[in-house]
DNA sequence: ACCTGAACACCGTTCAAGT
DNA sequence: ACCTGAACACCGTTCAAGT
C-alpha cells in the first residue's frame, strides 16, 4: 500500500522549524512569494495554520528564515589567488541560487539581512579584496557597486526571458506612436532577427556587466 | 468656514482616473505600496472602494498607473553633446524621483513596463548612445548594464541610511561569533569612526558606480 | 451614469479550548 | 506539549440594488 504524504495518518513527520522553512521555500518556488500564506503552508504541512506559530514567531520571522535557507545554498567557490576570478565565481554561484528561487531579490531588498549566511558571504568577498591589496575605501566602494551582483540579483528591466511567476508578455502598448521610438525599434529588430545580435541571453548580460565592473576596479586598484 | 476635504458634502471633486492615481501615489509615499488597498484608497477619496472600479480595471491596472505617473516625473535632462554627462544627468534625475517614491523599485521589477514614459526614457538613452557612435551590440549591453541605474533604483544591500517604510535597524545578530568576520569588522569600524572613511553617503555610492560603468563603456567604445 | 451594500473567498493573528 | 476552532480585523472583487 502506497502511503501518500497528504494522507497524514500515522507517519506524519513532526513539525520542526526546518521542515516549515523548507516547505515554505517549496511553496515560494512554485507560486511566488505571495503564494506563501500561513494557511496554505499549514495545508501543505498537513496541519492547521495556527500550529506553525509554534516554530515561527510570525510571518516576518518565516520570511527571514526563507532568506537564510536560500543564502545558505550559495556554494563558496574554490579558493583562488586571482581576486577577479574568485569574486566572479562567487557572483555566478549566487546567481544560480537566485534563478532557482526567483523570489529572493525582492526578499533581500526589502528585509534587512544580518544572518550568518549573509555575513559569511560578504566577509569572504571583503577578505578577497583586502588580500588583493584593495584599500579600505576602494573595498567599500566595491561592496556597494557589486552588492546586487554578489547576491546574484542584478535585476534587469530588459529581461527577455519569461520570469517564473510572471504573466506571458503583455501586448506592447506602442502601436499608435511607433515612430516616436526609432532607436528602440532599431535595437529591437536587431536583437530579434536572425543574423542580428542573436537572442538576448541574460546570463551573458549578467557576466558582461560583472566583468565591466571588475575590470574597472582592477584599473582603480593600480 | 474651513471646509475639510474629508467632510465630503457639496464640494467633492468628481472621481477621475487621474485623481485616483495621484491619491494612490500619496498613499504609497506615506505608507509603502502595501498601504495602497482599494478600501483605504476609497476612504481617502471619500468614496466606497467599489466606486474606484469605474476608473481602474482592477488592482493591477491601478499599480500600472502608479508606475506611469511616477516615471513621468523624471525630468529629461538638458541636451548635452557629452554622452556621458547626458546619461549621468538622466540617471540622477531618475534617482531623485525614486527617492521621492521608494516603492518604485519593487513595482518596476515586478511589472512588465511598456508605457510611454518608460519607452520615452529608454529611447532617449539609446539615441544618445547611437549619436555617440556606440554600435548596436555595445548599446545593447549598455542598456542592460545600466538599466537599474537609468531608472534610479540600483538597490543597495548595504544601505546605511534608513529607508522610508523600513523598520528601525534590527539589532545585529552577530554577538556570538564576532571573530568569524574580521574583514567586516575592520570595514564597519572604518566607516563609522571619525577620521575613518566618514559617513557612507548613498548618493556618493550611486554616482561612483554609475561613473565606473560609464568610464568602462567609454573605453570599450574606442 | 455613477455610486453603494451585501456577499464571497481569501489574508495574519489571538486566544481559549481540546487531546 | 502540541495542535485545533472560533473569532477578529483586514484583503480584492462580484453583482444586484439604489439614486
Amino acid at each position: 500500500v502506497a502511503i501518500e504524504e497528504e494522507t497524514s495518518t500515522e507517519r506524519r513527520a513532526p513539525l520542526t522549524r526546518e521542515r516549515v522553512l523548507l516547505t515554505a521555500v517549496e511553496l515560494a518556488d512554485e507560486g511566488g512569494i505571495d503564494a506563501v500564506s500561513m494557511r496554505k503552508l499549514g495545508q501543505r504541512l498537513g496541519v492547521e495554520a495556527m500550529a506553525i506559530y509554534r516554530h515561527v514567531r510570525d510571518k516576518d520571522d518565516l520570511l527571514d528564515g526563507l532568506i537564510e535557507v536560500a543564502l545558505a545554498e550559495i556554494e563558496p567557490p574554490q579558493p583562488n589567488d586571482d581576486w577577479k576570478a574568485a569574486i566572479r565565481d562567487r557572483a555566478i554561484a549566487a546567481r544560480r541560487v537566485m534563478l532557482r528561487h526567483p523570489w529572493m531579490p525582492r526578499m533581500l531588498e526589502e528585509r534587512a539581512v544580518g544572518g550568518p549566511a549573509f555575513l559569511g558571504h560578504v566577509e569572504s568577498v571583503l577578505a578577497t579584496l583586502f588580500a588583493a591589496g584593495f584599500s579600505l575605501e576602494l573595498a567599500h566602494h566595491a561592496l556597494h557597486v557589486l552588492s546586487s551582483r554578489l547576491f546574484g540579483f542584478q535585476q534587469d528591466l530588459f529581461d527577455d526571458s519569461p520570469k517564473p511567476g510572471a504573466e506571458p508578455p503583455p501586448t506592447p502598448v506602442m502601436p499608435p506612436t511607433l515612430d516616436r521610438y526609432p532607436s528602440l525599434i532599431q535595437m529591437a529588430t536587431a536583437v530579434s532577427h536572425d543574423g542580428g545580435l542573436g537572442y538576448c541571453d541574460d546570463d551573458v548580460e549578467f557576466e558582461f556587466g560583472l566583468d565591466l565592473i571588475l575590470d574597472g576596479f582592477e584599473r582603480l586598484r593600480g
Side-chain angles (χ1 to χ4, degrees), chain A:
Chain A
V1 182
I3 301 181
E4 301 198 359
E5 287 242 58
E6 299 88 5
T7 326
S8 58
T9 43
E10 47 214 334
R11 273 282 160 153
R12 199 160 82 201
L15 221 49
T16 62
R17 184 169 226 266
E18 204 198 354
R19 206 160 78 83
V20 167
L21 291 181
L22 291 179
T23 307
V25 167
E26 244 176 72
L27 229 43
D29 290 347
E30 290 169 17
I33 201 71
D34 289 333
V36 181
S37 78
M38 300 303 272
R39 283 162 150 106
K40 284 192 202 131
L41 182 53
Q43 203 177 330
R44 169 85 51 121
L45 288 163
V47 116
E48 295 300 309
M50 310 80 201
I52 298 168
Y53 284 82
R54 206 135 268 283
H55 304 93
V56 130
R57 195 157 15 81
D58 52 12
K59 185 146 188 205
D60 251 45
D61 187 33
L62 177 73
L63 295 179
D64 286 342
L66 287 198
I67 292 183
E68 201 60 18
V69 167
L71 283 182
E73 288 181 15
I74 302 177
E75 301 170 35
Q78 308 278 27
N80 196 325
D81 285 342
D82 178 359
W83 69 270
K84 269 168 55 169
I87 291 189
R88 194 175 196 282
D89 288 349
R90 191 169 277 277
I92 289 174
R95 179 165 157 82
R96 258 198 306 272
V97 172
M98 202 238 98
L99 290 175
R100 261 205 307 277
H101 306 305
W103 42 271
M104 275 202 73
R106 174 170 148 197
M107 287 298 100
L108 280 173
E109 283 159 54
E110 291 186 354
R111 317 188 80 73
V113 269
F118 176 84
L119 294 175
H121 195 54
V122 177
E123 168 67 24
S124 299
V125 171
L126 266 183
T128 302
L129 295 177
F130 287 157
F134 275 61
S135 70
L136 273 170
E137 283 94 335
L138 199 57
H140 185 240
H141 283 313
L143 219 53
H144 277 273
V145 176
L146 286 170
S147 67
S148 66
R149 287 175 199 274
L150 283 178
F151 287 91
F153 71 91
Q154 169 69 13
Q155 80 275 37
D156 201 325
L157 280 186
F158 307 100
D159 236 358
D160 312 88
S161 64
K163 276 188 195 168
E167 273 73 62
T171 51
V173 205
M174 33 158 105
T177 47
L178 256 183
D179 51 343
R180 289 180 53 192
Y181 311 114
S183 310
L184 261 177
I185 304 293
Q186 200 183 340
M187 167 120 309
T189 47
V191 171
S192 59
H193 277 45
D194 284 339
L197 300 183
Y199 296 117
C200 177
D201 183 329
D202 290 331
D203 288 333
V204 170
E205 298 300 335
F206 181 83
E207 295 183 22
F208 182 96
L210 181 59
D211 289 334
L212 187 85
I213 292 170
L214 292 176
D215 289 345
F217 277 107
E218 182 162 57
R219 220 166 270 115
L220 290 174
R221 186 183 61 128

